[in-house]
Amino acid sequence: MTAVHVPGTPVIEDGRLVSTSPATGAEAGRLPVATAEDVRRAVDRARAAGEWWAALGFDGRRERLLRWRGLLARRIEEIAELVHAEGGKPVADAVVEVVTAVEHVDWAARNARRVLGPRRVRSRLVLAEFSAHLEYQPYGVVGVIGPWNYPVFTPIGSAAYALAAGNAVVLKPSEYTPVVGQWLVDTFAEVVPEQPVFTAVHGLGDVGAALCRSGADKVAFTGSSATARKVMAACAESLTPVLLEAGGKDAMIVDADADLDAAAEACVWGALTNAGQTCIGIERVYAVEPVFDAFVGKVVERAARLTVGPDDADIGPITMPSQLDVIRRHIDDALSRGGRAVLGGADAVQPPYVRPTVLVDVPEDSAAVREETFGPTLTINRVRDADEAVDRANALSYGLGGSVFGRRRAVAIARRLRSGMASVNSALTFAGMSTLPFGGVGDSGFGRIHGEDGLREFSRAKAVTRRRARSLLPSTTFERTPADVARLVKAIKVMYGR
Ligand code: NAD
């Protein structure tokens, strides 16, 4: 008997993971499901490959990573079409995603030596007879567990930085987008054919759990906060360090002196791009009273123009069919508690699509305000002033990104958001800025990908001191005399006793 396929829901048939389009049900591909033993073997193979990769040094790795960057850029239409075919994402959104990923590969490759390479650091007066040396060495094998919503950008956000730092990587892509994950490792193997430096294992959540217990030297997880807790618990068994990039409920604040047209444009894109299935997507807006009505009008006018459907539409299908129930529940809950739909509403969910929905005056304790919706919906609530907006934005346990529109106080407001990132007078732009770290606080996780912090995340600091002269004030020896100790006491009082 063959299994009944719900379009978009992965199934396992004869030991293979079958991936289908959520829009059409067309098969995107099928890949062998790994056993726990397969995962361990993949990590063992990666460990040997990682030694070869690390020995290439920064220049050797840079050259190869830049070759991969070139391939990704040249074949951008191919991978964007694949992202569309497998996850349903509009091709234009997929192109933007790949562009951002290419940018990160380039930056990580070019900057790894500067950030991680061996260098002398200054000595202090107390140990002036020693020189100090610092470098950042690779962990060995990094396990990367990815989600489906940005199947190129999220794995590359970890993998490119881990690879540039000298690690081998074993990727466990989401079961909703394994074909895209396999494409990434296959194209890497085209430019680095010598050793299996970047490979993939496929399957459901149990394969991710097996990767946590596989002996990988670090696990970089991107996905929901609920799974992040399981990943951390599994990694705790072997004290395997983890990086957790988890969910969010990002807020936008619109202050009284904001450019309302620009704010509405960024809000509609930030909330509805990729059908709202974006960890750093705008899900809640707090607009100050004097501009509230005008802002809502501009948002609705823009959002109402968006097309919904397959292929060239602005908003594609919901990738994970089970999410449709969550989105419906959030809309119903908001409306039943006194919120109003000024666009879309109760009948917006038309599987596999959801029409853009803008909800206003939604109680702050409703699911639509407190929980991650992951659909093309947003709430806009009025606030007295920016201070109240910050309080409300900071009221949740999530703290990933955020956005502020305004002039005079906008940067100060952005700094007060309890989040790892914020965009002023734009939305989501921090994600594409490869010089900046990306990551959250609270239930949104910890650790950082991207930028210098992202390179350091995938390496261990190695500190070396080297004697360069005899000690004038010997302290770290049993050969010291009482007079040496007395001189040391005197010196420390002179230096720090003021
Ligand atoms: P998910 O947590 O369901 O799955 C993520 C990955 O974890 C998948 O590969 C899955 O197979 C694997 N997994 C499941 N159970 C596991 C277990 N017990 N041990 C190890 N791995 C396991 O998340 P999702 O639905 O794929 O992705 C959507 C979520 O990801 C949203 O919450 C979104 O906000 C979040 N996300 C966060 C970021 C970020 O950078 N912070 C980026 C993109 C998505």
Side-chain angles (χ1 to χ4, degrees):
M1 200 177 106
T2 45
V4 179
H5 289 191
V6 177
T9 300
V11 291
I12 293 177
E13 264 182 25
D14 303 329
R16 296 194 153 235
L17 181 63
V18 183
S19 176
T20 53
S21 158
T24 65
E27 184 174 319
R30 51 182 69 206
L31 290 148
V33 173
T35 62
E37 189 45 42
D38 293 335
V39 175
R40 252 193 308 276
R41 269 201 297 270
V43 169
D44 288 346
R45 270 200 312 274
R47 178 152 292 110
E51 282 169 22
W52 171 81
W53 180 245
L56 287 178
F58 290 106
D59 291 345
R61 293 195 296 270
R62 171 190 155 119
E63 191 229 309
R64 286 163 174 82
L65 280 164
L66 291 180
R67 263 196 260 150
W68 189 42
R69 177 218 58 190
L71 181 154
L72 294 173
R74 286 192 303 279
R75 289 166 63 178
I76 189 164
E77 290 99 342
E78 177 189 336
I79 181 64
E81 280 296 338
L82 191 57
V83 169
H84 169 67
E86 184 170 46
K89 179 177 296 193
V91 172
D93 277 348
V95 165
V96 175
E97 175 182 351
V98 181
V99 166
T100 314
V102 168
E103 167 62 28
H104 283 293
V105 177
D106 185 70
W107 193 86
R110 290 181 187 282
N111 288 277
R113 174 192 283 286
R114 177 181 63 79
V115 178
L116 306 176
R119 90 240 9 212
R120 281 275 291 272
V121 295
R122 289 178 76 116
S123 306
R124 300 272 291 170
L125 206 52
V126 164
L127 288 172
E129 68 275 31
F130 295 91
S131 60
H133 305 256
L134 172 64
E135 68 181 288
Y136 291 84
Q137 298 179 343
Y139 276 96
V141 182
V142 173
V144 173
I145 302 174
W148 47 266
N149 61 337
Y150 286 83
V152 176
F153 170 76
T154 52
I156 283 186
S158 293
Y161 289 81
L163 289 164
N167 302 281
V169 171
V170 177
L171 168 66
K172 162 28 193 126
S174 166
E175 54 271 38
Y176 289 84
T177 52
V179 180
V180 171
Q182 188 63 39
W183 190 95
L184 294 179
V185 300
D186 286 347
T187 52
F188 188 85
E190 283 180 34
V191 298
V192 184
E194 299 95 330
Q195 296 269 349
V197 172
F198 183 25
T199 53
V201 290
H202 297 285
L204 307 181
D206 60 308
V207 178
L211 187 53
C212 297
R213 298 190 170 95
S214 63
D217 302 289
K218 176 148 189 166
V219 169
F221 168 81
T222 306
S224 63
S225 305
T227 310
R229 289 185 167 81
K230 294 183 193 163
V231 166
M232 192 167 170
C235 287
E237 292 166 14
S238 51
L239 285 188
T240 302
V242 286
L243 156 77
L244 302 176
E245 297 284 356
K249 187 74 184 172
D250 287 0
M252 173 184 277
I253 293 176
V254 184
D255 204 1
D257 56 357
D259 174 340
L260 295 188
D261 286 303
E265 183 184 343
C267 173
V268 169
W269 184 76
L272 307 183
T273 182
N274 194 25
Q277 305 167 109
T278 304
C279 55
I280 49 169
I282 303 297
E283 296 216 355
R284 320 174 270 155
V285 182
Y286 297 106
V288 299
E289 179 65 46
V291 301
F292 180 83
D293 290 330
F295 174 73
V296 170
K298 288 174 189 292
V299 167
V300 169
E301 193 252 313
R302 281 177 170 76
R305 272 193 252 137
L306 300 180
T307 54
V308 181
D311 300 328
D312 291 338
D314 298 309
I315 297 185
I318 296 304
T319 304
M320 197 167 60
S322 58
Q323 195 67 18
L324 290 159
D325 293 335
V326 175
I327 299 168
R328 194 183 291 112
R329 177 169 63 78
H330 286 194
I331 295 174
D332 290 348
D333 183 55
L335 297 178
S336 70
R337 284 142 149 288
R340 287 183 298 121
V342 288
L343 183 70
D347 57 0
V349 179
Q350 297 165 10
Y353 302 99
V354 178
R355 304 199 66 77
T357 292
V358 179
L359 303 161
V360 297
D361 299 330
V362 183
E364 288 289 308
D365 61 353
S366 67
V369 174
R370 298 193 66 82
E371 298 170 22
E372 193 175 50
T373 308
F374 241 50
T377 69
L378 84 155
T379 65
I380 311 180
N381 280 347
R382 67 183 84 222
V383 286
R384 206 175 45 247
D385 54 23
D387 290 338
E388 186 181 3
V390 170
D391 287 347
R392 291 201 189 181
N394 288 350
L396 302 188
S397 49
Y398 287 121
L400 198 50
S403 166
V404 181
F405 271 77
R407 289 196 177 86
R408 204 169 48 83
R409 307 203 308 154
V411 172
I413 295 168
R415 293 181 60 215
R416 285 170 61 200
L417 284 178
R418 182 181 163 275
S419 68
M421 304 151 301
S423 304
V424 171
N425 295 333
S426 68
L428 325 188
T429 38
F430 47 74
M433 192 73 80
S434 44
T435 47
L436 281 177
F438 182 106
V441 305
D443 278 1
S444 295
F446 54 79
R448 294 293 181 264
I449 55 174
H450 302 176
E452 298 188 0
D453 296 83
L455 285 167
R456 286 191 202 102
E457 186 76 41
F458 294 106
S459 45
R460 299 183 174 109
K462 180 65 180 276
V464 175
T465 53
R466 178 179 180 182
R467 179 180 289 284
R468 53 184 176 186
R470 268 178 52 79
S471 296
L472 293 177
L473 292 175
S475 58
T476 56
T477 167
F478 289 119
E479 313 286 309
R480 67 195 167 206
T481 63
D484 289 331
V485 175
R487 274 204 302 277
L488 190 65
V489 167
K490 203 165 161 191
I492 212 73
K493 285 184 178 171
V494 168
M495 282 193 304
Y496 300 128
R498 293 182 302 275

